[in-house]
Structures are given as C-alpha cells and as structure tokens.
Amino acid sequence: MPAPLAPPRRRAPARRRPPRLAVLARRLRPHSARQRQRRAVAREPRAPGLGQPAAGAPRRGARPRRGGAGRDAGPRRARPPLPGVAGAAGDARRPGRPGGRGLPPAPLAAGGRRAVRGDERRPVGDAVLSRPQDRPREPRRGPCPRPALRPRRVRPVGDRDAGGILRLRRLLAPGPAAAGRGRAGRRGRDRLAARSRGLGPRPRDARRPPRPRRRLRALRPRRGRRPHGGPQRRLAPGDGAARHGAGRHVRPSRPVRERSAAAARPLPPAGAGRGRGVVTVTVAVVGGGAWGTALANAAAAGQEGEVVLWMRDAAAARDAARARENARYLPGVPLHPRVRPSGEAGDLAGAGAVLLVVPAQTLRGVLGTLRPALRPDATLVICAKGIERGSDAFMTEVAAAVAPGAPLAVLSGPSFAADVARGLPTAVTLAAAEPARAAALAGILSGPALRVYHSGDLRGVEIGGAAKNVLAIACGAVVGRGLGESARAALVARSFAELMRFARACGARSETLMGLSGLGDLVLSASSAQSRNFAFGERLGRGADPGEAAGGKLAEGALTAAGLVALARRHGVEMPVAEAVAALVAGTLRLDDAIAALMRRPLRGEDE
Ligand SMILES: NC(=O)C1=CN([C@@H]2O[C@H](COP(=O)(O)OP(=O)(O)OC[C@H]3O[C@@H](n4cnc5c(N)ncnc54)[C@H](O)[C@@H]3O)[C@@H](O)[C@H]2O)C=CC1
Ligand SMILES: O=C(CO)COP(=O)(O)O
C-alpha cells in the first residue's frame, strides 16, 4: 500500500512587505494617546472610491507642524534605508531601548570600530556613510524631541537674556558703584535696553563686578592738571604740562609729589653760619633772550606764583606782555599766563630765587645794576655759560664779587631753549653749596618735561657749560671742513679728555663732568647745528672770517676760549683743542694748520 500521502506541506505564504506608510508610521514615536489613536486611524484603508484622506492624516497643502507627526510623516523625511547602510536617517532615534521601536545600535565594524550611521556625529577618519540629504536637519530652537540628533544643548534665548538683565541690574543697582555715576549710569541703562533687544555687546566679563579703579575715576570730579600739587591753573598752549594732558586730573607720580613737597618747603638759610634768614621761593628771571624765556615758562609751570621776566629793553618787555610772546628770541612760543615781562628792576624785589640768564660777558654789569633792587638773601642762579674775558673769572666768581654773601647756584646741562620751550624732554643739573637748597630749586624748576638733577659741585657744573662751548666750535670746524664723522668723534673724545683734566685741576669732581653738564652738553653741542657754537665753528671751517662767523648770534665759546686757555695754562693743564679754537677765533691760526698741528702732536698714552 502506498503509504498514505502526507498532506502536501503548504508553503508559508511570503511575508508581504508592509505598506510604506505603515513602516513609516511604526518608526514614529507617538507622543500621546491621542496621537497614537490618530495614527491607528491613519493606518486604516481609505474608503474605496472616496479618495478622502483618513482621519488624522495630514491634509493636503497643510503646513507640517514643526517637530510633530505631521512633519515626520511627510514623504521627504520618510526615506527607505539605503542599501548596505546600517540604518538611515531617523533609525537611531531610540537606540538600544528595551522594547523600543528603534533599531538596535549599529554593529561594530571591522577592527572593533563601530560603524557610524549617517545621522551621528562622525569622528574624523570615519567613512562617509550617508548622503547629505539623509542627514537630519539641525533643530532650530526649543527642546529637541530626538535626543540622538541633538548636536548640543542650546540655551534658550530667554535664559540668556535673564542672565544679562541680572548682570546689568547689578551694575545699575544703587550703591557705591552706581551712586553719582551720572553718564556712566545712563550708558549702562542704554546698554541694558540694547541687550534686552538682542543688540549691543556683551559685558566683557559680566560675572565680575566692574573694576573699582574705573568706578573711582568716574566718581572723581574733573579738574585741571596739577603737576606740582598746587591749585588748579590755566595752562598755556605749548606749555609742557598742557601738552601732557591739560584739562585732565592726573595723580602726580611719586617723584613729582616729592618735588612738590620740596618746592613747598622754604629754602634753607642762605650761607649757613653767616646769619642769613630763610628765603621764600618766588622766582624771577633776568634776561629776556631765548633761554631766559624758556626758563621763565618752565618756572611758571613748576610753581604757583607769578614769574617776572626782566628785560633790559622796557619797550621789548611791553611788546612781549601785550603779545604774550617773545617774538624776537623765541617766536611761536606763547608765554605762560603767569610770566610777567617787565623792564622795571623794582619788579624783582620780591624774588627769592633770581635766574641770571644773560650772556656771560654781561653778567657783571647786569648784576651790578640790578643788585640794589634784589633781596639780599635772594639765591642767584647762574644760567650763563662762559668765562669772563679779561678777568678769566668763572661766573660764580663774578657773581660773588658783585653780590658778596648772596647764595649762589648754577644751572647747566644739555638744553636747547627751543626744545624746553616746546616741552620736549630735557634734563639738566642745578648745583648749590647746600644740598637742601639745590634740591628745593631743582624741585621748583622741574616739570613734566624738564628734569632737574641737583648737585653740590658748583665749579664742576659751571666748567662743563663754559668749556663745552669752546670745544663745540672745534667740532663744528671739523664738520665744516668736511673732515668726516670719524674726525668729529675723535675730537669729541679728546675734547672731553682735556675738559676732565681742566676740571680736576680747578677742584671740580670728575663725576660731575661725566654727567649732564660736561659730557651731556658736549655731546649735544658737538653734534647739532642747532648749537650756535657748533654753527659758528662750521662757518669757520667753511672759511668764514671769525668776526662774521657768529652771524649776529651769541656764540659764548668764541668769547670764552681765551679765558679758558689762560686758566688752563695757569693750572698747568694741556688743552690743545681749546688752544686751537682760541687761536682760530683770534685769527692767529688757519684751520688747516691747526688740524695739522693737532695731528703732529707726540704720541702718548691715552690717559696721560
Ligand atoms: N639758548 C640756549 O639754548 C641756552 C643758552 N644758555 C646760556 O644762556 C645765556 C643766554 O643765552 P640766550 O638766552 O640764548 O641768549 P640770547 O641771545 O637769546 O639772549 C640774550 C639776552 O640777553 C640780553 N642782553 C644782551 N646784552 C645785555 C646786557 N648788556 N645787559 C642786559 N641784557 C643783555 C639780550 O637783550 C637778550 O635778551 C648764554 O650764556 C647761553 O650760553 C644756556 C643754556 C641753553
Ligand atoms: O648751551 C646750550 C645747550 O646746552 C646752547 O648751546 P649754544 O649756545 O651753542 O646754542
């Protein structure tokens, strides 16, 4: 018997691919029971022939709701997975969630590296696994419904604004920071308004309170600059102080404050042990030339009182007072408001310090004339640079002879009047026998651009100023003759050597000559045609007659050379450069012969 036939095995019916819409719907995560119900309805077949969309399906032409089922169910979003790709856009939205509808995590690729799905952030070096259109859109704002797609947390705008408002409220809150802020407070409110509109810059570091220094500045009333601690003053244009921030209150630097204290003190007794009284510090200037005018301006800027600028020509003084300018000697530089030009000797009577700024050869005569008008205890500050002809006397000796017992001081150093008048930085030395007097005077004359060092070596400071004028003529002659920069440098060095020898022989300190009045002034005058002495020598070098080489200007070196040489001989000091200049000026030696004589001198050790 044939074995009963087994009932034919029925092939399992092939699984029908679910309709596309159903697949898509399954992938979607319903957010609420209402949504799930809607989607269930949507899965039901449409009524045949009616062609009406199922309830809950998006209407044609309706704008898909952002982040909702309507958008996700749209045809653009619901793409089938790409072949060979472990998942596609939207698949990873619930990775590994037990019982979740999403796909399991992507399998590990060869080498243990996990394949990266197109919708994940890809580490550098991973293959590109998706087409650009399969990548999810970046969510714009608000909470993202798909955590795996969220690139990073976006702070809601409201949060940020709240922080900004809090910070700005703190800035504007009444209290020491805000009280009296005035414009600063208004600015803050404006910024707050701008910030709340999403405009305007963020505060630099809003967590930190504003810096206290700034706040203090804002609270400080604006005043005129007080470089020396005095009361507010009006400042002249061109004045050094005005140039350095007039109109703004700037706390003076420590040295300036110290100078103020020094200036406020009365000068110590003149000629200690000689019964002199204490002198006050009212400054007057004798000599209305370039240097006298520049120093008067500097003194006026450096202390409180009026500064009388005495001129021998009363008409010139009136003109200067009217025009507020010394048009002849220092054109273009306004006089400081507290400089009073005067031709009256009586106007010098109140001065405690009198700056003598006339040509060296006139000092004896001028001081002799004015002496009766001066206070007997007035400090005479010698600013002329020279040695008196005929007597071969230093300026301090001349002054001491004319005004015996008067306290003396000497001011010298590298300083073109035009530079000082323009407020360019300058440093000079002031020497007096008593250190306290020198310091007090230095304090009075110092300013933002004029730095006055003090010294006790009167002789050294005056020799530096007088001798450099003579030596600068030699340097000018070398340059005028076209002998080159090497020759000029050699001449400066050898000139300085003889200056030192001479100064030491006269009892001065070498250190003084190595400073401003000596090396400093020699370097300035030997290297610049702005120096009248250098210019005089330059013209000599070009063949000008010594009588005309000055060109109507004051060349103190030409008038001092003979006296310097005479003094050097008296002290047994060799000064070959000064000798040559004296002979050139006297017209007893030609320049070429002078140069040849210098070059033929016996060779010797440099320090001999
Ligand atoms: N101009 C400058 O850059 C500097 C000049 N000095 C020295 O200052 C002194 C004066 O020089 P500057 O003012 O430049 O000269 P300057 O030629 O500009 O003025 C000389 C002043 O002295 C007056 N004067 C001339 N003879 C007189 C007399 N017999 N009696 C009264 N007053 C007389 C003139 O009227 C003029 O006001 C000189 O010894 C010079 O070496 C010092 C440092 C810098
Ligand atoms: O003494 C001066 C600079 O320090 C002025 O130099 P002159 O007199 O050569 O112009």
Side-chain angles (χ1 to χ4, degrees):
M1 272 201 45
L5 286 175
R9 283 181 76 182
R10 291 180 65 188
R11 278 180 72 189
R15 270 182 77 187
R16 272 183 58 217
R17 289 183 72 182
R20 173 181 273 200
L21 190 61
V23 171
L24 294 175
R26 212 169 52 212
R27 285 185 192 147
L28 296 174
R29 177 177 144 250
H31 293 265
S32 64
R34 189 176 167 78
Q35 279 177 330
R36 276 198 297 274
Q37 189 190 358
R38 278 194 190 144
R39 284 179 189 171
V41 173
R43 258 182 250 129
E44 286 173 15
R46 293 180 183 185
L50 289 181
Q52 291 295 323
R59 279 179 291 116
R60 273 180 81 188
R63 271 180 76 186
R65 270 182 296 144
R66 189 179 280 182
R71 193 177 72 151
D72 283 350
R76 195 171 59 81
R77 280 301 207 171
R79 288 184 186 281
L82 292 170
V85 174
D91 285 345
R93 67 180 64 120
R94 301 187 74 77
R97 187 183 171 206
R101 288 159 167 251
L103 294 176
L108 287 181
R113 248 169 58 193
R114 194 167 67 81
V116 179
R117 281 195 285 266
D119 54 355
E120 288 181 345
R121 290 190 149 198
R122 224 174 279 112
V124 178
D126 276 321
V128 177
L129 296 175
S130 73
R131 300 174 304 180
Q133 63 266 39
D134 297 315
R135 290 177 201 146
R137 264 193 183 172
E138 293 282 316
R140 282 190 200 158
R141 271 183 193 156
C144 178
R146 296 173 295 176
L149 299 179
R150 199 181 290 165
R152 72 173 188 233
R153 193 168 166 265
V154 178
R155 242 190 347 150
V157 174
D159 268 0
R160 209 163 47 202
D161 270 358
I165 286 165
L166 282 175
R167 283 190 297 269
L168 287 164
R169 258 200 210 133
R170 217 179 304 141
L171 284 173
L172 297 173
R181 193 184 282 137
R183 280 168 57 198
R186 258 203 315 280
R187 269 204 305 275
R189 281 192 294 278
D190 291 345
R191 252 184 273 140
L192 170 60
R195 293 267 305 117
S196 64
R197 291 194 305 267
L199 307 170
R202 275 176 79 102
R204 242 190 317 175
D205 187 348
R207 272 167 305 179
R208 263 190 237 155
R211 280 191 238 155
R213 249 180 83 223
R214 288 189 149 199
R215 261 186 273 148
L216 287 172
R217 260 200 199 148
L219 291 169
R220 236 183 255 146
R222 291 184 165 222
R223 285 193 220 136
R225 185 182 166 91
R226 298 186 304 157
H228 292 270
Q232 179 178 352
R233 294 194 305 265
R234 282 191 308 127
L235 295 168
D239 173 84
R243 201 173 297 281
H244 289 266
R248 286 178 52 216
H249 176 86
V250 179
R251 188 174 162 74
S253 64
R254 202 164 68 86
V256 170
R257 288 201 300 275
E258 280 167 6
R259 288 201 295 270
S260 314
R265 281 198 300 270
L267 289 176
R274 284 189 279 161
R276 297 265 167 196
V278 173
V279 294
T280 55
V281 196
T282 304
V283 177
V285 176
V286 168
W291 190 221
T293 305
L295 282 175
N297 266 2
Q303 45 98 53
E304 290 172 26
E306 185 183 71
V307 175
V308 171
L309 175 58
W310 180 85
M311 299 176 176
R312 64 171 171 167
D313 183 348
R318 277 194 299 274
D319 288 349
R322 206 171 27 246
R324 303 305 302 161
E325 181 190 1
N326 187 346
R328 176 164 177 205
Y329 290 102
L330 209 53
V333 176
L335 292 180
H336 191 283
R338 286 184 294 103
V339 169
R340 181 156 71 89
S342 167
E344 297 294 324
D347 288 340
L348 300 169
V354 179
L355 276 54
L356 302 171
V357 204
V358 290
Q361 306 308 323
T362 68
L363 182 69
R364 188 181 292 271
V366 172
L367 190 55
T369 306
L370 297 179
R371 173 69 185 160
L374 303 181
R375 272 169 49 169
D377 58 356
T379 303
L380 305 178
V381 184
I382 295 158
C383 305
K385 295 177 177 175
I387 293 170
E388 191 177 52
R389 284 167 96 180
S391 69
D392 304 333
F394 291 115
M395 293 294 105
T396 49
E397 293 172 334
V398 172
V402 178
L408 299 179
V410 176
L411 179 78
S412 183
S415 51
F416 287 136
D419 292 352
V420 173
R422 288 167 59 206
L424 301 179
T426 316
V428 294
T429 304
L430 187 142
E434 303 95 340
R437 183 184 303 275
L441 286 167
I444 292 165
L445 295 175
S446 286
L450 179 61
R451 190 170 169 78
V452 183
Y453 287 80
H454 52 92
S455 162
D457 185 4
L458 284 105
R459 185 52 45 88
V461 171
E462 68 178 334
I463 284 177
K468 69 88 189 174
N469 280 337
V470 177
L471 303 168
I473 291 175
C475 292
V478 162
V479 170
R481 197 62 163 178
L483 301 181
E485 292 302 315
S486 304
R488 188 218 308 244
L491 198 54
V492 169
R494 292 314 301 163
S495 296
F496 182 61
E498 66 184 56
L499 171 59
M500 292 283 278
R501 280 201 298 273
F502 176 71
R504 271 198 301 265
C506 295
R509 294 175 60 226
S510 299
E511 290 82 357
T512 306
L513 279 303
M514 286 191 277
L516 294 164
S517 183
L519 180 60
D521 215 354
L522 178 62
V523 167
L524 177 76
S525 302
S527 57
S528 169
Q530 201 177 329
S531 159
R532 294 166 294 191
N533 289 290
F534 181 92
F536 176 89
E538 210 176 13
R539 286 189 208 106
L540 279 186
R542 292 198 187 118
D545 186 78
E548 294 163 0
K553 293 192 174 168
L554 177 66
E556 287 282 32
L559 306 168
T560 288
L564 179 61
V565 167
L567 279 176
R569 286 186 186 148
R570 214 175 294 162
H571 284 96
V573 176
E574 271 192 284
M575 295 191 77
V577 177
E579 295 253 11
V581 171
L584 284 172
V585 169
T588 55
L589 187 67
R590 290 176 47 248
L591 179 58
D592 290 337
D593 295 337
I595 292 160
L598 285 171
M599 295 303 287
R600 275 201 306 269
R601 279 171 57 81
L603 296 175
R604 51 195 280 185
E606 192 179 18
D607 52 355
E608 289 174 41

